[in-house]
Amino acid sequence: IKSIQEEAFALYYMGMAQFDLFQYEECKDSYEKSIELYKKIDSRQYLLWLYQSYGFGLKCMGEHIKARKCFLDALIIAQQKNDIMEESIVLFNLGELCLDQKQFDEAYYYLENSYKIKSVIPEIEKRHHIYGIYRCSTSLAYLMFKSGKKEEAFEFFIKIKEGLFRQNDYDTMLYYAYYHALCLLHPIDLEKIILDVEILKICLGKRPFVNNEIIVIIVFYFLACFCHTI
């Protein structure tokens, strides 16, 4: 069993490294081999983490059907283990996947359930702040806006912003500013978009490492939108 576990573990981390190197076919092969090995020794905890990691990778590759299956498999394991913290994270990932696909009703269902769990386990903010209640709330506020509840959405955004500034959570602030500014483009509100761009720039300055180029692209996207309308 030990040798199988070691091989599965090595393949798991190899898959993550291959994903970072954009070696997607090799990445999928490593993850799938690792899953099969962990199934042999019935290592549910590692399968739970592996399904989530592989699901996220598949989502980024645009393979949404396979990604959903991975997240649903992870959800089953989390519920069987009665691990509500991991369950809240899987629900969040499912909600984000549906949001990307513009499946707003399903996204709202998953994110709302994730939010309900997070609201009773505040320690998740310390262990997994990127999946925490403020990021989940931001997605829900955006969904409210998309469903026509614009006033409620912006009230929710205000509460989220207050909480984020209290916690100095710059990673989630980037996420907040992006979705808030998206809402302000329809109809456009230049004054408030400028404030969101300022938040984005402040967050970039505060983060110790900026190795995700998409964050920089977000800032310039909103700057371009602003300049185009002057």
Side-chain angles (χ1 to χ4, degrees):
I1 290 175
K2 188 178 178 183
S3 62
I4 293 175
Q5 191 171 18
E6 287 172 350
E7 186 180 353
F9 191 76
L11 285 163
Y12 178 8
Y13 277 91
M14 190 183 296
M16 287 194 288
Q18 288 163 333
F19 175 78
D20 288 339
L21 293 169
F22 308 104
Q23 297 171 355
Y24 293 144
E25 291 306 313
E26 294 87 344
C27 164
K28 287 189 282 186
D29 186 56
S30 295
Y31 271 124
E32 284 164 15
K33 284 178 180 175
S34 182
I35 287 169
E36 289 307 309
L37 289 171
Y38 276 126
K39 280 181 178 177
K40 283 183 181 179
I41 56 175
D42 194 26
S43 181
R44 290 191 298 162
Q45 185 59 61
Y46 276 105
L47 278 169
L48 173 57
W49 295 333
L50 183 51
Y51 279 132
Q52 291 211 73
S53 182
Y54 189 28
F56 178 79
L58 288 166
K59 173 189 166 188
C60 294
M61 295 175 208
E63 297 193 28
H64 296 118
I65 294 172
K66 288 183 180 179
R68 181 182 292 230
K69 185 180 183 308
C70 280
F71 289 141
L72 288 172
D73 286 340
L75 183 61
I76 289 167
I77 295 171
Q79 290 171 339
Q80 286 173 343
K81 288 170 57 62
N82 197 29
D83 187 337
I84 60 171
M85 187 174 288
E86 287 294 334
E87 183 181 350
S88 75
I89 293 170
V90 182
L91 287 166
F92 174 81
N93 284 329
L94 279 164
E96 290 287 284
L97 179 65
C98 292
L99 187 58
D100 283 354
Q101 294 181 277
K102 300 189 180 346
Q103 297 168 345
F104 297 130
D105 289 342
E106 284 186 81
Y108 195 88
Y109 169 79
Y110 288 125
L111 289 166
E112 186 178 40
N113 280 287
S114 179
Y115 179 85
K116 285 176 182 175
I117 295 172
K118 289 176 173 65
S119 64
V120 297
I121 48 169
E123 63 269 22
I124 197 170
E125 294 300 323
K126 296 175 184 176
R127 287 180 56 187
H128 299 291
H129 75 279
I130 195 167
Y131 299 108
I133 199 163
Y134 290 113
R135 184 157 181 175
C136 189
S137 300
T138 298
S139 296
L140 281 171
Y142 178 67
L143 283 168
M144 285 179 189
F145 178 86
K146 294 296 288 184
S147 65
K149 299 176 183 175
K150 296 184 180 181
E151 208 169 301
E152 290 175 29
F154 284 119
E155 285 176 9
F156 205 5
F157 272 125
I158 289 167
K159 290 178 184 176
I160 296 163
K161 185 177 179 181
E162 289 170 355
L164 285 173
F165 273 100
R166 280 198 303 271
Q167 293 202 7
N168 293 324
D169 182 353
Y170 296 106
D171 285 312
T172 308
M173 271 190 224
L174 285 165
Y175 189 80
Y176 157 85
Y178 172 67
Y179 276 110
H180 186 244
L182 271 183
C183 295
L184 294 170
L185 289 172
H186 308 285
I188 196 159
D189 188 328
L190 289 179
E191 189 175 335
K192 289 180 181 175
I193 286 177
I194 293 168
L195 293 176
D196 283 331
V197 170
E198 287 304 314
I199 291 172
L200 286 163
K201 290 194 289 185
I202 289 166
C203 293
L204 285 169
K206 293 285 185 181
R207 294 176 82 245
F209 302 101
V210 182
N211 49 20
N212 190 346
E213 293 174 359
I214 192 66
I215 295 168
V216 180
I217 292 167
I218 289 167
V219 173
F220 285 104
Y221 169 73
F222 285 114
L223 282 171
C225 287
F226 167 65
C227 295
H228 180 69
T229 54
I230 295 175

